[in-house]
Amino acid sequence: MVVKIIQIILSPILALVVGVFFLGLARKIMARIHWRYGPPLIQPVIDMIRLFYQKSVSHGSMFDLGLILSLAGSIVVVLFLPLGGIAPLSGSGGLLVILYIMLLAPLGMALSGGQGANPNISIGISRKLILGLGYEVPLLLVLLAVMTRYKTISIIEVVNAQQSTGWLLFSFPLFLSGLSYFLILPAILGLRPFDMSSAPQEISSGPMVEYGGKYLALATIEHAFVLFISIALFVNLFLGGADNPAIFFVKMLVVFVLGLCINAVFPRFRIEQAVKYLWKWPTLLAFLGLIIALAIRS
Amino acid sequence: MSLEILLIFAFGGALLTYLLGKTSEKIRGFLAVVIALSLVVFIACLYGKSVEKTFYSGFLGLGLVLRLNMLSWFFAITIAVIGALSVIFSLSYIKGREKTDFYFLMMLLVNAAMLGIVLAGDLVSFYIFWEIMSWSAFLLISYNKGPAIAAGMKYIIMSIIGSLCFLVGMLSLYVTFDTLSISQIASAITSASPGYIVFILTAFGITFGIKNAVLPFHTWLPDAHSEAPAPFSAVLSGILIKMGTYGFLLLLYVIMGLKLFLGLGRGLLSFHSILCLLGAVTILIPTFIAMLQTDAKRLLAWSTVGQAGYIILGIAFGTNLALAGGIFHFFNHAMFKALLFLAVGAVEFRTRTRDLDSLGGLAKKMPVVFIATLVGICALIGVPLTSGFVSKWLIYKTLILEGSPFLAFFALAGTWGTILYSYKLIHNVFLGQLPEKYKDIQKSPFTMQLPMVILSLAILIFGILPGIPLKVINTIGTSFGFESLNITLWGIASETGTLNTINIFSAVLVAAVLLWLLFRLGAESVSVPQEDSYAAGAYTPADKYHYTAEFYNPLYRMIKPFLRDVIDEFYYWIASSVRSLAGSVRRIYSGDVGYYVMYIILFLAVLIFVQMRWKIW
């Protein structure tokens, strides 16, 4: 019981630290690819502390509550995810619950932004939701393939099964699904070339435009959590999870840097192009993976 | 309290409201509410009882039977509650309109007829109540005149086709088994041939499919739901179409029985998998159509078609989890869709429009309606901690574990689509900018807020403690011959994956409270008016732009060409060809006696020619 409580307190903090570190690292790596020096690694932390003490504007109670709901949702997802042996609440409904609590984050952000009454926000949210529709199709096929292969809806069992069979990413039908997940990862994270919903030069960062001060700080934390969750899910499902948090985070780091380097060189998609892309190659791969997984099972 | 007294009270009450309501508006409203509420109390008192009795045996020697078991009780209580809440909502909604006495008569009559359907123990009384329901629903749909009349027409024509199928099935059953009592047919049908069973399933399946708006019989629903008065839309979407669900349950599990139903056909060609597939398609396609709607009620209507697909999928899949999920989703859908229709009705009542492209920013003006809508769309999406999540979780889990990932994919893919259209609904009505013309809009009246508050609370309570309704549903499942589920107050325990809503609830609550404290700790934020927003240094004049119009325009451009309602066009094509055929037939009857004489002579000439040539007579 005590161990569990410590784990419950510890895992969101770990996620926060790793997520914020990733944010700083992303800026550094991007800068180096652009032949710039880039800000120091802890720049996001400095920014957040500063923002927290700055004045800000509010557009109403949903503007505040939506943001809090969104961040609360992300924190709860972390509690359900196994992080290298730490998994305090994963027995309460499995992958399906994770999938559905993950919806709280975009929904809360959208509700909060909605009350901002700014045209940039409306455009940003509209794009964000359409993009979600785009990557949800391959993502569901991927998750279903994994769940069908192991006849379970529990993420712990998927992780444990990989201890004996090896990483799913290198097992026969599911490498297709793993590849598909890797292809849609930047879309889930909102990284380039899928950053049309928060395009800074075009729609002034979209849903974030009315945020300042502590709102912006919380929104940054939220972004860090989303980064952490999507990559952690990939590591758990396809890279076999890990026995201890350290190895788990090393795996996450590799996936993140790899994804960043590949995607940093692409220009931004338009939203229609993004959806068309997502519904073409990743969906095809994921579909094949699911069909083969189903055929092998029966 | 016996069943016939209950029904006499329900029907008599409707009539009494009409007659006494002629005297004054206050008495009419008061009586309607009292009758609707006392039905709730009566039915609640019948919990757990099991009755079957013949109340009249003079009808062609067939006994008319009423019966009560857990299944009919569960449906009856849902009908009574939603019915009562929409009657309360109607009080202020319908005030000052013409023919309110007629309106209340029809509302109570529909409720009474639906109670009759779920309490009927033989097919004749089922059919009588079914027709009363269909026709009074028709009159209510057409209440608003104008386009509502066409919508009502469309509804009643499809409904009549359904009724004819029902009659065919019923007569055939009578000829074969010489009885129409449901329990006697259920025991006799086990000896019937598979071909005959498929025939019966198809005939009744069309009837119930039309009522439940399963693809391809869904075309009446969007028109009827959007044109009906809002409180009746809530009844229509919440419970009336679920009479189709009840019919399916009755047909598949009570009459056919589990073994017979699942054993019909093989593999993908079995009746059960075809019905599952229909359910899955019914989830997916309407969801995409709903995103493109700009009329709030039409959007909700398409969403109803989609959600009904989950129910059918759950019922048709035929495992104990799926059945529990299907029945629970019926219950949830009755609550949240009634809630959403009432909320849209409350907005329409104040703003006189349901056009999503011209509303906006009403959250601060109508806070209660806003929160109710928020709870409603959360349940519709299936966000955890609302009851909608639990029912969907049950369905998904069984689909995945039983090896039907593609059905699960259809069901799950509907989710993100649901987010898109339900966000559009709440954003375009309550968030975004408030147009100048709605600056002085009033709050909703109390009688409108009360039903919405009750429904929102129910959704949250049953979402955190789903064990309460699931216990009743489990009893229904075991009475159909399924294994009992291991139900706890906060979910389902099993070896293949436990659901624990209390854990989720406490985690979200603690996280939100901590974040709220952190949020309070930060520097103060200043509340600013909506015009005071960042626009890159340029001032955006109020009312110059409306940001919510054409919200999903890029998506609209992409999917519009693929989403024609081909089935509806096909039905219209049949209708117009029948009309033109009838038109050309009509030309024979010119009204001129000379022509008729010519027809007679021509006919005689043909007869004489035939006789002379072939000598048949």
Side-chain angles (χ1 to χ4, degrees), chain A residues 86-164:
Chain A
I86 309 177
L89 288 182
S90 60
S92 316
L95 256 173
L96 290 173
V97 169
I98 295 178
L99 199 61
Y100 265 78
I101 306 182
M102 273 169 78
L103 297 180
L104 277 178
L107 196 65
M109 278 299 221
L111 287 171
S112 163
Q115 199 156 36
N118 187 309
N120 292 319
I121 297 184
S122 284
I123 297 171
I125 293 175
S126 156
R127 289 184 184 175
K128 171 82 195 158
L129 294 180
I130 295 173
L131 185 68
L133 187 69
Y135 69 67
E136 197 73 1
V137 171
L139 179 64
L140 289 174
L141 289 171
V142 167
L143 295 182
L144 284 171
V146 174
M147 289 191 272
T148 307
R149 174 80 179 76
Y150 286 109
K151 294 177 193 161
T152 178
I153 57 166
S154 153
I155 188 164
I156 295 272
E157 281 180 34
V158 175
V159 173
N160 290 341
Q162 291 178 71
Q163 305 286 342
S164 53

Side-chain angles (χ1 to χ4, degrees), chain B residues 244-306:
Chain B
T245 312
Y246 178 76
F248 271 119
L249 283 169
L250 203 65
L251 179 68
L252 300 180
Y253 291 105
V254 178
I255 295 183
M256 296 290 159
L258 188 60
K259 258 187 204 153
L260 204 57
F261 163 52
L262 289 182
L264 218 57
R266 190 163 292 212
L268 275 177
L269 277 175
S270 65
F271 189 80
H272 129 92
S273 38
I274 290 172
L275 202 57
C276 283
L277 207 64
L278 275 183
V281 173
T282 309
I283 293 171
L284 199 61
I285 296 177
T287 305
F288 277 86
I289 300 180
M291 289 173 210
L292 308 180
Q293 304 303 319
T294 52
D295 177 338
K297 275 170 84 178
R298 220 178 155 77
L299 183 148
L300 288 176
W302 275 110
S303 140
T304 298
V305 183

Side-chain angles (χ1 to χ4, degrees), chain B residues 493-508:
Chain B
S494 78
E495 287 160 19
T496 51
T498 309
L499 179 66
N500 189 334
T501 45
I502 281 286
N503 271 354
I504 306 175
F505 172 64
S506 10
V508 171

Side-chain angles (χ1 to χ4, degrees), chain A residues 56 58 100 110 114 118 126 210 272, chain B residues 396 415 423 432 526 534 551 557:
Chain A
S56 48
S58 169
Y100 265 78
N118 187 309
S126 156
E210 287 296 312
E272 291 102 316
Chain B
Y396 298 149
T415 302
Y423 182 73
V526 195
Y534 174 82
F551 195 59
R557 283 200 301 267

Side-chain angles (χ1 to χ4, degrees), chain B residues 414-437:
Chain B
T415 302
W416 198 272
T418 312
I419 294 186
L420 258 80
Y421 68 70
S422 45
Y423 182 73
K424 181 177 179 175
L425 178 75
I426 197 163
H427 174 258
N428 289 18
V429 177
F430 295 103
L431 302 173
Q433 17 146 228
L434 181 71
E436 281 291 333
K437 57 184 167 187

Side-chain angles (χ1 to χ4, degrees), chain B residues 574-585:
Chain B
I574 292 184
S576 68
S577 4
V578 168
R579 198 177 302 154
S580 61
L581 185 73
S584 45
V585 169

Side-chain angles (χ1 to χ4, degrees), chain B residues 360-380:
Chain B
L362 291 174
K364 286 179 188 162
K365 299 286 169 191
M366 305 177 142
V368 175
V369 186
F370 169 64
I371 293 169
T373 314
L374 187 61
V375 174
I377 66 162
C378 285
L380 176 62

